[in-house]
């Protein structure tokens, strides 16, 4: 009886757009859903640095290099905001990282594709960050306070990511024949994975209805995908590049672009761990984490030593 | 919960410009206060968001219990005389 009342109070708050804060009562399933979603979002930010990081040293100019460096640094920061938001729900960051390394937690599948040329960095900024922004803007109004605040910060910083990507694409698409070929090739490889970033079609999406009721989610996967398509097609055309979708057509009546069918077998195959880079990404994450262990331990040991020395001096 | 010895959690407060209060920006893990301050600079003020930073270890903060919110703030509910609108003034008094 009492439990039911709490649940009703909770849902009324959500319905009235009153944010839920960490110490407020919340249903266990709401807490679990958020821990899963926020930690996976955090992992995505961190793993997302890997495909781009290898291009920092290969950037074609100093200005492209500092911009990419700043973008990758932002992503580390975004991971941190998100882990912090997740920790307010009563989990420890290291435990969520252990889950990632044990293969128990997922991250966005998009980062399991390889970055083959400099144009890929342009395509990632433009399409991948573009799709991420489309997903994240509604999350700024998410019912859970710490998640929504983290998203406000992330979205503010991320609009530069998309622009720097499109700026690379513009340069390449208006460059030499070979640069144009690279731009088109990058679009061919990133277009569909970016469209898949919005998740399964609404009819197939397991968690959607509950997340909508809890106002964690505000728009359906297909709604967001449609908006992204309508934005991206003209941008692709402006580059003078071809959208790699033979069935793409503009519906004069609705004023919307209509895309061909998504290859969901590929999507699920990558989710299940069989993408081109799944193993490499996870291995790189683990190596970075394990190699950094001594630094974390040394800093902690130093801090404890200093504390002990200070209290000894205070006692003397 | 893990049994590893993790860096403690710190809360970060940033003053965005002179004249404004420090405001909570978020949190981070650091081994000690100096490191927390340096990391707060890198994480929360990469785009000139601040002119001053405070860091405080999270477990030094005592927070009120949200479930006791009603009882805690109840005393303020019936004291409308604390607001200027409670007092009626003659029309002749234009500004007060």
């Amino acid at each position: 009886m009492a439990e039911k009342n709490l649940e009703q109070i909770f849902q009324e708050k959500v319905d009235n757009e009153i944010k839920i804060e960490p110490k407020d009562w919340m249903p266990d399933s709401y807490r679990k859903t958020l821990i899963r979603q926020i930690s996976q979002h955090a992992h995505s930010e961190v793993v997302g640095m890997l495909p781009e990081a290898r291009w920092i040293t290969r950037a074609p100019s100093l200005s492209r290099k500092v911009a990419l460096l700043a973008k990758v640094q932002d992503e580390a920061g975004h991971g941190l905001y998100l882990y912090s938001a997740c920790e307010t729900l009563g989990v420890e960051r290291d435990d969520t990282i252990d889950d990632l390394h044990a293969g128990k937690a997922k991250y966005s599948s998009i980062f399991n594709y390889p970055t083959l040329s400099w144009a890929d960095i342009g395509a990632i900024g433009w399409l991948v960050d573009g799709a991420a922004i489309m997903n994240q803007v509604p999350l700024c109004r998410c019912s859970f306070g710490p998640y929504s605040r983290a998203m406000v910060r992330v979205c503010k910083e991320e609009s530069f990511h998309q622009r720097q990507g499109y700026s690379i694409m513009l340069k390449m698409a208006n460059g030499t024949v070979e640069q144009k070929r690279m731009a088109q090739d990058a679009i061919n490889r990133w277009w569909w994975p970016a469209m898949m970033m919005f998740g399964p079609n609404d009819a197939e999406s397991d968690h959607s209805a509950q997340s909508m009721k809890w106002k964690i989610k505000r728009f359906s996967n297909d709604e967001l995908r449609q908006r992204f398509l309508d934005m991206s097609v003209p941008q692709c055309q402006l580059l003078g590049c071809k959208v790699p979708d033979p069935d793409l057509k503009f519906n004069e009546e609705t004023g919307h672009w209509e895309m061909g069918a998504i290859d969901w077998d590929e999507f699920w195959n990558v989710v299940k761990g069989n993408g081109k880079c799944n193993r490499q990404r996870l291995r790189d994450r683990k190596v970075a984490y394990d190699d950094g262990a001594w630094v974390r331990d040394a800093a902690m040991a130093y801090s404890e030593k200093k504390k002990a020395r200070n209290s000894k001096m205070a006692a003397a | 919960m893990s049994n590893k010895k993790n860096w403690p959690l710190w809360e970060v407060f940033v003053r965005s410009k002179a004249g404004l209060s420090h405001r909570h920006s978020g949190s981070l893990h650091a081994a000690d206060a100096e490191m927390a301050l340096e990391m707060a600079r890198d994480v929360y003020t990469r785009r000139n968001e601040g002119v001053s930073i405070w860091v405080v270890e999270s477990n030094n903060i005592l927070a009120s219990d949200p479930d006791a919110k009603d009882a805690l703030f109840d005393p303020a509910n019936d004291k409308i005389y604390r607001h200027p609108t409670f007092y009626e003034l003659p029309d002749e008094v234009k500004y007060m």
Side-chain angles (χ1 to χ4, degrees):
Chain A
M1 182 68 193
E3 185 80 350
K4 200 177 174 195
N5 272 334
L6 286 171
E7 193 139 2
Q8 279 167 349
I9 295 168
F10 167 84
Q11 189 60 47
E12 274 166 23
K13 273 163 90 178
V14 170
D15 292 343
N16 292 318
E17 302 288 338
I18 296 171
K19 297 278 187 235
I20 306 301
E21 294 296 340
K23 290 193 170 169
D24 294 346
W25 186 90
M26 61 184 85
D28 253 2
S29 44
Y30 177 81
R31 184 186 300 274
K32 278 193 192 125
T33 298
L34 279 170
I35 290 173
R36 182 180 54 86
Q37 181 170 340
I38 302 173
S39 66
Q40 296 190 3
H41 197 162
H43 300 330
S44 301
E45 295 286 351
V46 173
V47 176
M49 291 191 276
L50 297 171
E52 292 175 295
R54 65 190 295 262
W55 282 98
I56 292 174
T57 52
R58 295 166 173 82
S61 71
L62 189 57
S63 74
R64 294 291 186 199
K65 186 175 184 159
V66 291
L68 183 58
L69 198 55
K71 176 181 192 285
V72 172
Q73 192 190 9
D74 275 351
E75 275 147 16
H78 297 172
L80 188 138
Y81 307 153
L82 286 159
Y83 283 125
S84 299
C86 197
E87 282 185 304
T88 65
L89 290 160
V91 286
E92 289 219 14
R93 181 172 70 186
D94 274 40
D95 292 336
T96 68
I97 292 174
D98 285 346
D99 282 349
L100 171 71
H101 292 176
K104 279 191 265 175
K106 300 246 176 285
Y107 53 87
S108 180
S109 274
I110 193 80
F111 304 117
N112 291 316
Y113 291 85
T115 41
L116 304 180
S117 84
W118 174 250
D120 287 40
I121 299 305
I124 287 179
W126 167 44
L127 293 172
V128 176
D129 285 82
I133 292 169
M134 192 63 82
N135 269 326
Q136 285 166 347
V137 167
L139 283 172
C140 296
R141 293 195 293 128
C142 159
S143 59
F144 185 56
Y147 195 22
S148 95
R149 291 191 286 274
M151 279 299 106
V152 169
R153 196 173 272 282
V154 166
C155 287
K156 238 188 244 168
E157 298 182 351
E158 214 145 75
S159 57
F160 125 71
H161 297 185
Q162 195 184 13
R163 286 185 184 203
Q164 71 92 35
Y166 196 65
S167 141
I168 292 172
M169 292 310 284
L170 274 170
K171 193 87 183 173
M172 303 277 291
N174 292 297
T176 63
V177 175
E178 179 58 11
Q179 284 173 318
K180 275 183 203 163
R181 192 198 58 77
M182 287 161 80
Q184 183 65 56
D185 174 58
I187 293 170
N188 292 349
R189 285 179 290 104
W190 290 97
W191 183 267
W192 286 104
M195 293 298 158
M196 294 177 196
M197 281 176 70
F198 299 94
N201 288 124
D202 294 349
E204 320 286 326
S205 183
D206 298 343
H207 308 291
S208 280
Q210 185 56 263
S211 286
M212 292 274 221
K213 190 170 172 235
W214 281 333
K215 301 204 172 168
I216 295 173
K217 214 177 156 121
R218 297 276 177 170
F219 301 100
S220 78
N221 296 353
D222 287 333
E223 274 176 283
L224 292 171
R225 187 166 17 243
Q226 182 62 49
R227 279 192 215 172
F228 182 64
L229 181 75
D230 286 334
M231 261 177 49
S232 303
V233 171
Q235 289 167 358
C236 188
Q237 290 169 336
L238 194 66
L239 293 172
C241 292
K242 249 186 74 130
V243 175
D245 178 355
D247 298 324
L248 180 79
K249 54 178 186 289
F250 188 72
N251 185 327
E252 295 284 353
E253 248 167 65
T254 60
H256 290 294
W257 287 93
E258 289 171 4
M259 64 193 300
I262 289 177
D263 180 359
W264 291 113
D265 287 344
E266 178 188 324
F267 175 77
W268 290 114
N269 195 38
V270 180
V271 170
K272 286 187 182 116
N274 303 317
K276 287 197 175 74
C277 300
N278 295 56
R279 276 176 288 270
Q280 184 190 339
R281 299 289 184 242
L282 211 52
R283 189 193 60 213
D284 289 351
R285 270 315 305 148
K286 274 192 231 165
V287 167
Y289 188 79
D290 294 343
D291 285 358
W294 73 271
V295 180
R296 296 192 293 275
D297 292 345
M300 202 58 227
Y302 174 68
S303 150
E304 278 166 354
K305 196 171 112 184
K306 217 168 41 171
K307 226 184 267 168
R309 194 189 297 145
N310 286 346
S311 58
K312 216 183 194 171
M313 264 160 58
Chain B
M1 293 286 131
S2 66
N3 46 18
K4 281 177 274 185
K5 200 160 219 182
N6 292 328
W7 289 355
L9 194 66
W10 301 76
E11 299 302 322
V12 179
F13 299 83
V14 175
R15 185 203 294 282
S16 56
K17 62 177 188 184
L20 297 179
S21 325
H22 286 75
R23 217 179 136 185
H24 187 235
S25 283
S27 47
L28 52 78
H29 288 272
D32 58 28
E34 288 77 19
M35 185 195 268
L37 201 59
E38 280 171 17
M39 286 168 64
R41 196 264 325 249
D42 289 344
V43 174
Y44 292 106
T45 61
R46 287 198 303 283
R47 289 176 175 79
N48 299 102
E49 287 95 337
V51 293
S52 162
I53 302 174
W54 290 348
V55 289
V56 57
E57 208 176 317
S58 308
N59 59 25
N60 286 329
I61 292 178
L62 179 66
S64 62
D65 175 5
D67 293 334
K69 173 168 67 88
D70 291 345
L72 188 65
F73 297 108
D74 171 73
N77 285 348
D78 58 355
K79 297 181 176 59
I80 45 171
Y81 49 85
R82 288 183 172 173
H83 299 275
T85 45
F86 177 73
Y87 301 91
E88 275 182 33
L89 288 178
D91 289 345
E92 288 80 0
V93 182
K94 287 218 168 69
Y95 303 105
M96 183 181 283

